[in-house]
Amino acid sequence: MNRFRIVSLTVLFVFILGYGTAWWASSEPELFDVKDLSAELSPEHQQTVGYTTTSALIRVLETLLTKNAGFISNDVMPPFSMLDNMPAWELGALEMSRDLALALRKDLSRSQSQSIENQYLKLAQPMLNIDHRSWAVPAAEAEYQQAIKQLSLYRTALLDPAKTDSQFYTRADNLRDWLKNVEKRLGSYSQRLSVSVGQDRLNTDLAGDKNARQSTVTAESNRIKTSWWSIDDEFYEARGACWALLHLLKAIELDFADVLTNKNAMISLRQIVRELEATQQPVWSPMILNGRGFGFMANHSLVMANYISRANAALLDLTELLAQG
C-alpha cells in the first residue's frame, strides 16, 4: 500500500510539474514600448531615420529567443516538443520579421533598383529563412542569433556618418511595397481563421480579368474547413504575427512620421495599430473554442479573424493614400 501511494504521488508530482512547465513555456511575452526602447538604447540617436524600425525588429527577434523557455519550435525532447501553441505563435512572429527583413534588404535600405545591397542585410535576411524546426547543423536559434548580430551592425552603421553605404530611406513607395506584403499576410490569416467552422467558397481566382489563365482547372466552388486539430495552431500563429506586426508598425509610425503626415495617413496607421492591439487581449478560456454561428459556444478564431480583417481593411486604405501624389 505504501509503495502504491509513493508511485501515485510520484506520478501526480510529475504531472503537475509537467503541466506547470508547459503553462510557463506557453506564456506569451508582454508588449514592449517601441518609443521607450529606442530612447533607452541610444537617446542621442533615436531620431536617426531607420534606427527605431531596426531596433524594433531586433527586439522582436530577441524576444523569440529569450522569452520563457526560449525558442521551442525546434525542440525534440519533452516536455517542450509536446507543445504546439507556442511554436505556432513563434512561427507567426517569425514570418512578420522575415517580411520586414526582406523589405529592408531590397527596398528600405536601397535608393533605387540599381543600387548595391547593404552588406549586413544581405547576410541577415537569408539567416532568418532557415526552417524554424531545424534543431542541429545548423540550429535555428544559432542562425537567428547571427541575423540579430548583422542587424545590429546595420543599425550601428546608420549612426555613423562615415558609412554612407548603410542607409534607410523613408519614401512612400518603399513603405507601400512592404505594406502590400503585409496585406497578403493578414489576408491569409483572416481566411484561415474564418474557415474554422467550414465555408462553401466560390472560386474567384481569375475574377476581374477575362484573359487570365491558371495552370490547372479547379472547381467553381468547394468546401473548406480547418481541421479540428489545427484550429488552435491557426489562432496562435495569427496572434504571434499580430504581436510582431504591432511593434513594427509603431516603429514605422515614428520613422515615417513625415511621410505619413504629408499623405494625411497617420490616422489610418493608428487605426491599424488599434485593431492589432485588440488581437492581444488575454485568452481566458483554457482552450480555443470553435462554436458555430450564433450558438452557445464562443468561436475564438472568428473573433480573431474579425480584428485582422478590420486591420487589413484599414491597411488597404493606407496603401491607397501612400500611392496618391
Side-chain angles (χ1 to χ4, degrees):
M1 186 64 181
N2 289 336
R3 181 178 298 178
F4 176 77
R5 180 177 299 176
I6 293 174
V7 172
S8 299
L9 291 175
T10 301
V11 171
L12 179 62
F13 173 77
V14 171
F15 174 80
I16 294 174
L17 180 63
Y19 182 84
T21 302
W23 176 84
W24 172 75
S26 298
S27 299
E28 299 170 32
E30 298 289 335
L31 296 172
F32 60 85
D33 191 300
V34 172
K35 184 180 293 187
D36 289 348
L37 168 66
S38 182
E40 171 191 338
L41 292 172
S42 183
E44 68 276 16
H45 294 300
Q46 60 177 312
Q47 299 302 323
T48 300
V49 171
Y51 185 86
T52 302
T53 298
T54 308
S55 296
L57 175 58
I58 291 172
R59 178 57 62 88
V60 166
L61 292 170
E62 287 177 338
T63 301
L64 284 175
L65 302 181
T66 60
K67 60 179 177 54
N68 289 355
F71 189 78
I72 67 174
S73 291
N74 60 346
D75 284 0
V76 295
M77 296 294 291
F80 301 144
S81 63
M82 302 173 66
L83 304 179
D84 60 349
N85 291 345
M86 182 49 67
W89 187 94
E90 292 173 345
L91 177 59
L94 183 60
E95 291 283 29
M96 282 298 175
S97 301
R98 287 169 171 169
D99 287 348
L100 181 57
L102 180 59
L104 278 171
R105 178 183 177 182
K106 70 184 186 71
D107 293 319
L108 297 172
S109 65
R110 303 178 66 182
S111 60
Q112 54 188 351
S113 61
Q114 300 299 317
S115 57
I116 299 175
E117 289 182 308
N118 181 271
Q119 58 178 326
Y120 304 119
L121 300 176
K122 185 178 180 180
L123 295 174
Q125 186 264 327
M127 291 174 179
L128 293 177
N129 287 334
I130 187 175
D131 188 347
H132 67 291
R133 295 166 297 184
S134 177
W135 62 277
V137 195
E141 297 99 319
E143 290 294 286
Y144 300 155
Q145 192 63 57
Q146 287 300 313
I148 291 172
K149 180 179 179 181
Q150 294 300 321
L151 287 170
S152 298
L153 290 173
Y154 167 70
R155 180 179 62 183
T156 301
L158 291 177
L159 307 178
D160 189 349
K163 295 186 177 180
T164 56
D165 57 340
S166 292
Q167 299 288 346
F168 186 100
Y169 297 98
T170 57
R171 298 201 313 260
D173 58 336
N174 283 347
L175 178 57
R176 185 172 183 269
D177 288 342
W178 174 60
L179 293 178
K180 294 296 288 184
N181 288 330
V182 174
E183 278 182 26
K184 295 178 181 178
R185 186 73 69 183
L186 292 184
S188 175
Y189 286 130
S190 177
Q191 290 294 332
R192 288 157 56 185
L193 290 166
S194 297
V195 297
S196 61
V197 295
Q199 287 185 352
D200 292 319
R201 180 100 20 107
L202 295 176
N203 189 337
T204 59
D205 295 344
L206 304 181
D209 187 349
K210 64 180 181 180
N211 295 319
R213 298 290 184 270
Q214 63 185 58
S215 301
T216 58
V217 178
T218 53
E220 293 185 0
S221 66
N222 55 8
R223 183 166 181 78
I224 306 175
K225 184 175 182 179
T226 305
S227 167
W228 187 86
W229 297 102
S230 302
I231 289 173
D232 58 337
D233 296 340
E234 298 287 358
F235 177 89
Y236 280 103
E237 182 179 340
R239 190 170 166 90
C242 290
W243 179 89
L245 180 60
L246 175 60
H247 294 100
L248 300 180
L249 288 179
K250 286 183 176 181
I252 289 295
E253 178 183 346
L254 297 175
D255 277 332
F256 283 82
D258 293 340
V259 173
L260 293 168
T261 301
N262 181 59
K263 297 287 186 177
N264 199 25
M266 185 66 78
I267 191 66
S268 296
L269 178 63
R270 289 174 178 170
Q271 181 60 37
I272 298 169
V273 169
R274 179 169 296 184
E275 298 294 350
L276 293 175
E277 286 175 339
T279 68
Q280 302 303 303
Q281 298 177 69
V283 179
W284 298 109
S285 172
M287 63 182 296
I288 302 304
L289 302 178
N290 189 39
R292 288 181 171 274
F294 299 104
F296 180 76
M297 300 291 290
N299 189 303
H300 294 108
S301 297
L302 292 185
V303 173
M304 178 69 76
N306 175 62
Y307 289 128
I308 292 178
S309 295
R310 287 163 57 178
N312 204 24
L315 196 57
L316 289 168
D317 293 338
L318 176 58
T319 54
E320 287 302 314
L321 288 173
L322 292 173
Q324 297 174 7

